[in-house]
Amino acid sequence: MSNKIYGYCRISKSSQSIERQHRNILKEYPDATLISEAFTGTKIEGRKEFNKLINKVKEGNTIVFDSVSRMSRNADEGFELYQELFNRGIELVFLKEQHINTSTYKKALLNNIQLTGTNVDHILKGVNEYLLALAKEQIKIAFDQAEKEVKDLQQRTKEGIETARINGKRIGGIEGVKLITKKSIEAKDQILKYSKDFKGSLNDIEVVKLIGISRNSYYKYKRELVEELNQ
């Protein structure tokens, strides 16, 4: 069996930075072959590079993702693909959700409690089935969470645009008017979470590197956040 390692990285559009995903994967797997693409949407269909990768990987190969959301943000489709690749003998690694790596799932399948040949075996079989069901549920939860993040972001974007309209703000590239986009809302959420000036512990340079945006965009969003919080 081949032990070829691939690192799959995805961004929503080409203007975003993919470097953070590259760094995270190569830090843990320096010999990984990186596959990158820009694709908007939750469906796997249409992701040309990812589908090429799925079709060419062989038993014993490994695919590394920075997070489960890079594999799929559709819960049902993601879980179905996870099981398909697992059954083909492909190792799946999620750097941010290591509890659902296929190696963990495999342990739940193989490390069954040994039967004793006595009347207690029907209880032990039940325990084994429960452990396997628990492992499956953890995988499903991870994909459910990735899908929920997309829906929450879409809702926040919709609400942000509606709020801007109610307040008389025009949505467009006009000087002095704040442009509300999916990217700006997502970036502001991350700045709030990680910047020591808000709820986090990182300095400006560290946050810029972590979330993968330009310094100009970072300081622009930060100023807007301060204004919004003061209001």
Side-chain angles (χ1 to χ4, degrees), residues 123-141:
I123 298 176
L124 298 181
K125 287 180 181 178
V127 173
N128 286 335
E129 290 173 0
Y130 169 75
L131 292 174
L132 179 57
L134 185 62
K136 285 185 176 181
E137 187 62 25
Q138 291 299 313
I139 297 166
K140 287 182 179 179
I141 288 173

Side-chain angles (χ1 to χ4, degrees), residues 53-98:
L53 176 60
I54 291 172
N55 291 330
K56 78 177 181 180
V57 287
K58 301 176 181 179
E59 182 179 1
N61 287 175
T62 298
I63 306 177
V64 185
F65 304 87
D66 186 46
S67 70
V68 69
S69 64
R70 300 305 88 194
M71 176 174 170
S72 176
R73 280 186 160 179
N74 179 285
D76 291 337
E77 191 176 45
F79 182 66
E80 182 179 341
L81 179 60
Y82 181 104
Q83 288 192 305
E84 175 193 327
L85 292 172
F86 176 85
N87 291 333
R88 285 171 52 190
I90 311 302
E91 293 287 341
L92 302 176
V93 175
F94 304 93
L95 298 181
K96 289 185 171 61
E97 301 93 0
Q98 296 188 21

Side-chain angles (χ1 to χ4, degrees), residues 154-164:
Q154 291 171 341
Q155 182 63 27
R156 290 197 301 273
T157 302
K158 180 180 178 182
E159 291 172 354
I161 292 172
E162 183 61 26
T163 299

Side-chain angles (χ1 to χ4, degrees), residues 91-228:
E91 293 287 341
L92 302 176
V93 175
F94 304 93
L95 298 181
K96 289 185 171 61
E97 301 93 0
Q98 296 188 21
H99 63 288
I100 67 162
N101 290 351
T102 49
S103 59
T104 302
Y105 185 41
K106 191 177 297 182
K107 287 178 183 177
L109 289 173
L110 299 177
N111 292 353
N112 289 336
I113 299 172
Q114 296 300 310
L115 303 183
T116 64
T118 67
N119 291 334
V120 79
D121 279 356
H122 70 281
I123 298 176
L124 298 181
K125 287 180 181 178
V127 173
N128 286 335
E129 290 173 0
Y130 169 75
L131 292 174
L132 179 57
L134 185 62
K136 285 185 176 181
E137 187 62 25
Q138 291 299 313
I139 297 166
K140 287 182 179 179
I141 288 173
F143 283 106
D144 283 339
Q145 182 62 33
E147 181 175 323
K148 181 178 182 299
E149 287 174 0
V150 172
K151 291 180 178 178
D152 287 348
L153 181 58
Q154 291 171 341
Q155 182 63 27
R156 290 197 301 273
T157 302
K158 180 180 178 182
E159 291 172 354
I161 292 172
E162 183 61 26
T163 299
R165 286 176 178 156
I166 291 172
N167 292 336
K169 295 178 181 178
R170 296 180 62 185
I171 307 302
I174 301 174
E175 185 177 355
V177 176
K178 180 166 61 178
L179 179 63
I180 299 174
T181 65
K182 174 182 174 181
K183 178 182 176 182
S184 68
I185 292 173
E186 188 173 35
K188 286 179 182 179
D189 283 348
Q190 292 177 311
I191 292 169
L192 274 174
K193 181 178 180 181
Y194 296 115
S195 173
K196 67 180 181 181
D197 293 322
F198 299 103
K199 299 178 182 179
S201 60
L202 302 180
N203 61 36
D204 290 338
I205 295 176
E206 291 171 330
V207 179
V208 168
K209 290 181 178 179
L210 177 65
I211 66 179
I213 61 174
S214 69
R215 291 191 180 188
N216 287 341
S217 294
Y218 171 76
Y219 288 112
K220 175 177 177 289
Y221 295 147
K222 190 175 178 183
R223 285 195 304 271
E224 290 177 0
L225 273 172
V226 172
E227 292 172 2
E228 291 166 8

